[in-house]
Amino acid sequence: MAIIGSCLSPDARDNEMAKGWFDAVEEMVFDDDWLDEDLGASVPFQNVKDGERLQSLQAAYFVCLYQNWEGSDSSKGRIRRHRYNTVIAVARALQQTAVTHQDFSSLNDESMFEWKEFIETETKIRTICYVYLLDGAFTIFNNTPPRMMVFEMRMCLTSPNQTFQAVTAAECFSLLKQWVYTIPRQCPMASALEMLCKPDLDVEEGRLFANMGILNMFSMITGMATNSWA
């Protein structure tokens, strides 16, 4: 994050200093054991800590961002041809099972709401979503084959930004209860895209798309674009 902040600084000296750290930070991040693609084979599944691996994935994602934006031509090529394969592999490993929230519509009391679990699950969903979007950007703008297909997106749709940014469990719970009443149900992203491609939507399906948010719709559009890649 510090590197990206320096890249966006209006001070040209900050920009140049940041570029001097690009490759070193990349090496440090991708040398992390949690980014080992064979981790699941070498470590018992129950001992793999998703939280720590997710943080490593986020760091790797940010490295790919700044190298692709501001790095040298060789760095950009290395990210697209090599490093992002690791990012995709770890993202896949983190959703070996469907990543879904608890059923908020059935919660009648705040005491039943697991705020910490919501944050962890939503963070994982959003991280995988951003990984998918950057892969789509490589396909659209650099003509690289898509490495993550929309049918792999087994996590549910992202929740509204207001719920994710809530500062208390009570605020988050209240916002979620308001949101679930505007959508008929939660569904996996792949199923939502399949639904969107139908010639006609019923009222319930229309409500789902009307209230799903910009990030989800952006993912839908990316899925439609990359699925037609040839």
Side-chain angles (χ1 to χ4, degrees), residues 2 4 14 25 62 104 109-110 136 142 150 155 161 168 170 174 184:
I4 291 180
D14 291 339
V25 172
F62 282 126
F104 302 125
D109 188 86
E110 183 188 329
N142 302 105
V150 70
M155 74 278 195
N161 289 337
T168 65
S174 175

Side-chain angles (χ1 to χ4, degrees), residues 86-131:
T86 298
V87 172
I88 293 291
V90 175
R92 283 197 180 107
L94 286 173
Q95 58 164 350
Q96 291 182 356
T97 57
V99 185
T100 58
H101 287 296
Q102 62 185 131
D103 184 5
F104 302 125
S105 61
S106 65
L107 301 182
N108 298 316
D109 188 86
E110 183 188 329
S111 62
M112 303 169 62
F113 175 51
E114 298 291 341
W115 189 34
K116 182 179 179 181
E117 179 183 325
F118 167 78
I119 294 172
E120 292 173 349
T121 302
E122 185 69 14
T123 299
K124 184 183 292 188
I125 291 171
R126 286 172 177 256
T127 300
I128 295 172
C129 187
Y130 282 120
V131 168

Side-chain angles (χ1 to χ4, degrees), residues 76-94:
K76 292 177 181 179
R78 181 174 63 251
I79 290 297
R80 291 195 289 263
R81 290 191 299 268
H82 175 58
R83 295 298 197 189
Y84 213 66
N85 290 332
T86 298
V87 172
I88 293 291
V90 175
R92 283 197 180 107
L94 286 173

Side-chain angles (χ1 to χ4, degrees), residues 187-204:
C187 66
M189 189 167 294
S191 299
L193 180 58
E194 184 178 351
M195 189 187 306
L196 184 62
C197 294
K198 292 170 56 178
D200 296 296
L201 299 177
D202 59 32
V203 174
E204 185 178 276

Side-chain angles (χ1 to χ4, degrees), residues 5-135:
S6 298
C7 291
L8 299 175
S9 171
D11 190 331
R13 292 173 299 178
D14 291 339
N15 305 153
E16 291 305 314
M17 289 179 64
K19 290 179 181 179
W21 284 96
F22 279 6
D23 292 348
V25 172
E26 177 187 335
E27 288 297 328
M28 286 188 288
V29 167
F30 279 91
D31 195 42
D32 191 335
D33 289 341
W34 290 113
L35 294 179
D36 183 353
E37 297 178 33
D38 297 323
L39 182 65
S42 59
V43 179
F45 181 75
Q46 62 270 23
N47 293 338
V48 176
K49 299 179 180 178
D50 276 6
E52 294 183 25
R53 201 172 195 194
L54 182 61
Q55 290 180 3
S56 297
L57 174 62
Q58 291 169 334
Y61 175 82
F62 282 126
V63 167
C64 292
L65 274 184
Y66 75 65
Q67 286 284 35
N68 192 60
W69 286 346
E70 303 289 342
S72 63
D73 289 343
S74 61
S75 296
K76 292 177 181 179
R78 181 174 63 251
I79 290 297
R80 291 195 289 263
R81 290 191 299 268
H82 175 58
R83 295 298 197 189
Y84 213 66
N85 290 332
T86 298
V87 172
I88 293 291
V90 175
R92 283 197 180 107
L94 286 173
Q95 58 164 350
Q96 291 182 356
T97 57
V99 185
T100 58
H101 287 296
Q102 62 185 131
D103 184 5
F104 302 125
S105 61
S106 65
L107 301 182
N108 298 316
D109 188 86
E110 183 188 329
S111 62
M112 303 169 62
F113 175 51
E114 298 291 341
W115 189 34
K116 182 179 179 181
E117 179 183 325
F118 167 78
I119 294 172
E120 292 173 349
T121 302
E122 185 69 14
T123 299
K124 184 183 292 188
I125 291 171
R126 286 172 177 256
T127 300
I128 295 172
C129 187
Y130 282 120
V131 168
Y132 173 69
L133 288 174
L134 185 54
D135 185 55

